[in-house]
């Protein structure tokens, strides 16, 4: 089996980032998608990432030879020893990533000879279960299957996955070329070889592996982040303050670079809404969860889905 082949299932915000970063790091990447429409939605995300990576490279070129901390960890370890040859090599890798990513609708064809499959479909348990059941019909025994689910534990899907001992989670933060963390979390049937191989894979695509020793909804990052975003969403849904003022309070009061609604724009309002909808209380009229979902859907229906659309809680060029 060719150990360089990666399949990313789903071409959403994070799926596209995982695909581009992995291709940038030399992996043979295929994005599996459900429909031609999904392909047409994924391609502009890859185009945007191509431009973002070139922009990061322009910044690195200016910083080479300096002791800056403003560099993408998914590109380099630092800027002090960067050379013109390094910049040229990075440019070549960006161009290759841009042209080498493949798109496939046939699941069996997509996953043939894959070393890793990363599931990055919508944060909806039924959609994920349906994906794993269909994947189990065509996936090969050697393949390691990873979930990038933000909130679901791997044990939720064990009965739906072929070879559960080779199934675990690898969770990414948004803007993975800068927030280059890879949270690795197995379940009680995950074998050590698959876990260790996933840690190594994360390192190969320039993520910093963080090992989660026990199943934890939200891993480490989202165990901290989700309650923070929940608190902000409650303030918004209860009309306590505007998203802009909530963000200002957080940024000015803590020195943080971004407020909660700026973070949600990066994550995408659909994903944020899906996470709230996974709570049964969201279907009970009058609950705070129900209020939050309604307010999210008003924005989503207007096309205000986040930074990728140029408009979420804020407008972007």
């Amino acid at each position: 089996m060719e150990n360089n082949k990666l399949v990313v299932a789903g071409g959403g915000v994070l799926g596209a980032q995982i695909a581009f970063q992995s291709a940038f790091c030399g992996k043979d990447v295929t994005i599996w998608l459900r429909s031609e429409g999904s392909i047409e939605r994924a391609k502009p995300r890859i185009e945007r990432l191509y431009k973002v990576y070139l922009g990061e490279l322009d910044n690195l070129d200016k910083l080479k030879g300096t002791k800056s901390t403003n560099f993408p960890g998914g590109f380099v370890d630092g800027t002090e020893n960067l050379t013109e040859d390094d910049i040229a090599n990075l440019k070549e890798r960006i161009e290759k990533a841009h042209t080498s990513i493949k798109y496939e609708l046939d699941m069996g064809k997509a996953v043939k000879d894959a070393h890793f499959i990363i599931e990055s479909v919508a944060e909806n348990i039924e959609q994920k279960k349906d994906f794993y059941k269909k994947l189990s019909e065509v996936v090969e025994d050697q393949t390691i299957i990873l979930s990038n689910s933000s909130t679901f534990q791997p044990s939720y899907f064990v009965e739906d996955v072929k070879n559960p001992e080779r199934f675990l989670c690898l969770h990414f933060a948004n803007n993975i070329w800068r927030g280059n963390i890879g949270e690795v979390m197995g379940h009680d049937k995950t074998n050590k070889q698959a876990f260790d191989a996933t840690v190594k894979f994360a390192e190969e695509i320039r993520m910093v592996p963080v090992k989660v020793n026990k199943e934890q909804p939200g891993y480490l990052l989202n165990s901290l982040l989700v309650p923070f975003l929940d608190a902000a969403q409650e303030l918004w849904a209860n009309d306590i303050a505007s998203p802009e003022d909530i963000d200002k309070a957080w940024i000015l009061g803590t020195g943080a670079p971004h407020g909660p609604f700026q973070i949600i724009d990066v994550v995408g309002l659909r994903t944020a809404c899906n996470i709230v909808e996974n709570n049964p209380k969201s279907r009970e009229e009058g609950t705070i969860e129900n209020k939050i979902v309604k307010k999210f859907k008003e924005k989503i229906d207007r096309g205000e889905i986040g930074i990728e659309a140029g408009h979420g809680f804020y407008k972007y060029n």
Side-chain angles (χ1 to χ4, degrees):
M1 173 181 283
E2 174 56 60
N3 288 351
N4 209 38
K5 182 174 178 180
L6 167 70
V7 176
V8 179
V13 173
L14 261 175
Q17 291 181 28
I18 295 165
F20 201 95
Q21 177 68 22
S22 299
F24 171 67
C25 291
K27 300 298 180 183
D28 176 8
V29 178
T30 297
I31 303 177
W32 172 82
L33 295 150
R34 296 179 187 274
S35 66
E36 290 288 350
S38 297
I39 291 177
E40 293 311 307
R41 288 188 291 275
K43 285 183 175 179
R45 295 187 180 109
I46 295 297
E47 289 299 316
R48 174 183 172 273
L49 288 167
Y50 171 60
K51 293 174 184 176
V52 167
Y53 275 53
L54 289 176
E56 291 280 16
L57 190 62
D58 287 343
N59 187 51
L60 281 175
D61 193 28
K62 296 171 186 174
L63 294 173
K64 66 180 182 294
T66 71
K67 290 186 177 180
S68 174
T69 58
N70 181 28
F71 63 87
F75 281 47
V76 295
D77 295 325
T79 57
E80 188 174 3
N81 297 316
L82 270 182
T83 67
E84 289 289 349
D85 286 345
D86 293 328
I87 297 296
N89 177 260
L90 289 167
K91 175 72 158 55
E92 184 178 330
R93 287 166 52 190
I94 292 169
E95 295 294 344
K96 185 174 181 181
H98 181 224
T99 57
S100 67
I101 292 172
K102 298 177 283 293
Y103 303 86
E104 182 57 62
L105 298 177
D106 185 317
M107 186 182 291
K109 184 177 178 181
V111 304
K112 181 176 172 54
D113 296 332
H115 186 207
F116 285 99
I117 298 169
I118 299 180
E119 172 267 306
S120 191
V121 303
E123 194 70 358
N124 176 288
I125 195 165
E126 294 306 322
Q127 286 189 39
K128 288 181 184 292
K129 280 179 168 288
D130 179 67
F131 166 76
Y132 286 124
K133 287 173 183 176
K134 291 176 179 175
L135 177 64
S136 293
E137 297 174 3
V138 294
V139 70
E140 297 167 352
D141 288 339
Q142 307 96 315
T143 302
I144 296 172
I145 304 170
L146 306 172
S147 176
N148 178 51
S149 172
S150 300
T151 53
F152 298 129
Q153 299 173 188
S155 58
Y156 291 7
F157 307 106
V158 164
E159 294 181 358
D160 307 304
V161 177
K162 183 181 180 181
N163 299 323
E165 68 278 4
R166 297 178 69 78
F167 171 63
L168 62 159
C169 286
L170 175 60
H171 180 252
F172 299 81
N174 255 290
N175 293 342
I176 69 173
W177 60 94
R178 278 189 172 264
N180 58 321
I181 182 175
E183 297 180 287
V184 184
M185 181 173 74
H187 55 91
D188 61 3
K189 293 186 175 67
T190 302
N191 67 32
K192 186 176 185 301
Q193 291 81 5
F195 191 97
D196 291 346
T198 301
V199 169
K200 184 173 183 292
F201 168 77
E203 292 172 338
E204 289 172 351
I205 61 169
R206 294 197 59 85
M207 298 297 105
V208 177
V210 176
K211 300 176 185 179
V212 183
N213 296 328
K214 298 179 181 179
E215 281 193 294
Q216 165 66 24
Y219 313 81
L220 307 182
L221 178 60
N222 281 338
S223 292
L224 300 167
L225 179 62
V226 170
F228 165 63
L229 297 182
D230 285 346
Q233 290 163 185
E234 287 185 22
L235 292 171
W236 170 54
N238 281 328
D239 298 318
I240 304 299
S242 68
E244 292 83 2
D245 280 340
I246 295 167
D247 279 357
K248 285 176 188 175
W250 182 256
I251 292 167
L252 295 176
T254 67
H258 304 293
F261 292 97
Q262 291 172 323
I263 293 171
I264 291 170
D265 272 358
V266 173
V267 171
L269 274 69
R270 287 196 184 105
T271 296
C273 185
N274 284 341
I275 290 171
V276 181
E277 280 194 296
N278 287 328
N279 187 330
K281 290 183 179 179
S282 69
R283 293 180 283 281
E284 298 175 17
E285 194 67 33
T287 63
I288 188 61
E289 293 82 5
N290 184 262
K291 290 180 183 178
I292 293 169
V293 167
K294 284 182 177 178
K295 294 197 79 164
F296 268 133
K297 287 189 174 179
E298 287 173 2
K299 293 184 71 63
I300 292 168
D301 288 345
R302 294 196 297 267
E304 299 168 12
I305 61 172
I307 195 168
E308 69 164 324
H311 193 176
F313 288 97
Y314 298 88
K315 289 185 178 179
Y316 304 89
N317 293 329

